[in-house]
Amino acid sequence: MRATVQLTAVHAQEPARTGPHSEVARLRAQLERVQGRKLDAPVLPVHPALASLLPGGGLRPGAAYSLPRSTSLLLALLSQPSRSGSWCGVVGMPRLGAEAAEGLGVDLSRLVLIPDPGARWLTVTATIAEVLPVVAVRPAGRAADGEIARLAARLRDRGAVLLVQGPWPQAEAVLEIGDPAWTGLGRGHGYLAGREVTVTSSSRRWPRSRRSRVLLPDASGQVSPAPETVRGVEPLRSGDERRPGDERFVPLEARAVG
C-alpha cells in the first residue's frame, strides 16, 4: 500500500506564519514541478456512475459542493481526479482510512490528510486550497459569512474544488444519499456483496433534482451503476392469447425486458 502525505494543523497554516521552509511551501514547489494546476480543464473527471449528477459531468474548478457525511461517496468523488493526476486533500476527518480510500480507487500517492485542523479548520482549508486542486473538509463548527466569501474567492482565483461534508452556501450542487439496500445475502446465509443507494443531486443550474441508483460499494469495493430490475414474464390468462398479425401482439422477449 502506498503511503499518504499527512500534515498537522501547524504545517497547514499560511506560509508566512511558518517560514519559507514550511511543509506547504515544499508541497507547492513539488506540485508545480510535477504537474502544474491544469486550470484550462473545464471540469475534473468523476466516475461515470456519478457524472450525470454533477453540472458539466464533473467537478468544476473554483466551485464548492455540499455532500452528506458519507465517506464512501466522498472517496468515490476523489478517486477519478486523483488517478488522473490531481492532488487531493482531506481536512478534519481523523477516521478516514487509507485502506478504504485505496479500495474505492483513490491514488494514495496523491492524497494529503490533515486529520485534526483544530478550531482554525477554515484557515487550514483555505491554505490547502492554495496548493491542491481538490480539497475535502468536514467543518468543525460554524463559519462566518465573511470567511466563507473569502474562501469562495480564493477557490475561484486558484481554480480549486471544495467538497464539504455538510451544508454550504452557494454550492454548485448538493448531493444526498438515501434508500440503502445491501445485496448478497440469501435466506439467512451468504456474504454482503454491495450496498445499493439512491444519490440525489440538486443544483441551481437545473430546473429539478436528478437521481441515480448506484452500488456504493459494489462487490469489488468500488462504485458502479446499479443494475436495472428486470421483471419476470407474466403468464397469459385464459382467453388473452394473442397471435402474430394481431396489432396487440407483443413478443414474449420484449415483454420480459420491459
Side-chain angles (χ1 to χ4, degrees):
M1 181 186 298
R2 290 169 289 182
T4 62
V5 178
Q6 191 162 155
L7 306 180
T8 66
V10 174
H11 290 144
Q13 298 299 318
E14 294 286 353
R17 295 175 61 88
T18 56
H21 301 294
S22 68
E23 188 72 13
V24 170
R26 183 196 65 78
L27 187 56
R28 185 201 303 273
Q30 180 180 353
L31 289 177
E32 291 174 350
R33 184 171 62 253
V34 173
Q35 76 164 31
R37 196 162 278 276
K38 298 182 180 179
L39 296 181
D40 56 334
V43 294
L44 296 178
V46 296
H47 193 281
L50 303 173
S52 64
L53 299 169
L54 300 173
L59 299 173
R60 191 179 305 278
Y65 297 82
S66 175
L67 310 179
R69 289 205 170 192
S70 167
T71 302
S72 297
L73 179 60
L74 173 64
L75 295 177
L77 290 171
L78 294 180
S79 63
Q80 289 292 105
S82 69
R83 294 171 67 179
S84 65
S86 296
W87 282 67
C88 303
V90 178
V91 181
M93 303 182 199
R95 296 186 178 180
L96 188 146
E99 184 176 356
E102 188 175 41
L104 275 163
V106 177
D107 184 350
L108 297 186
S109 67
R110 296 185 181 274
L111 180 64
V112 178
L113 300 178
I114 307 174
D116 186 14
R120 295 177 59 82
W121 64 269
L122 192 62
T123 300
V124 172
T125 301
T127 301
I128 294 300
E130 288 276 354
V131 183
L132 304 182
V134 184
V135 181
V137 61
R138 177 176 292 175
R142 184 177 179 85
D145 293 341
E147 294 178 326
I148 292 177
R150 284 191 289 272
L151 175 56
R154 183 170 297 189
L155 293 174
R156 292 190 296 268
D157 179 62
R158 302 299 296 175
V161 173
L162 181 65
L163 304 176
V164 184
Q165 285 196 337
W168 196 255
Q170 300 300 314
E172 178 77 1
V174 178
L175 302 183
E176 298 176 344
I177 282 184
D179 305 322
W182 285 94
T183 61
L185 286 178
R187 295 187 176 183
H189 62 85
Y191 297 93
L192 292 174
R195 184 185 64 158
E196 190 174 319
V197 297
T198 297
V199 182
T200 304
S201 176
S202 57
S203 172
R204 61 180 183 270
R205 300 181 184 274
W206 296 332
R208 60 179 62 88
S209 299
R210 297 184 180 183
R211 293 186 178 184
S212 181
R213 195 71 176 166
V214 300
L215 290 171
L216 188 65
D218 59 16
S220 64
Q222 301 188 13
V223 58
S224 63
E228 295 185 4
T229 302
V230 179
R231 294 191 316 220
V233 178
E234 298 179 2
L236 293 175
R237 293 172 297 180
S238 177
D240 195 33
E241 291 82 5
R242 301 186 177 105
R243 307 186 185 283
D246 188 337
E247 64 180 4
R248 299 175 302 164
F249 174 76
V250 180
L252 287 179
E253 291 79 6
R255 296 180 61 196
V257 173

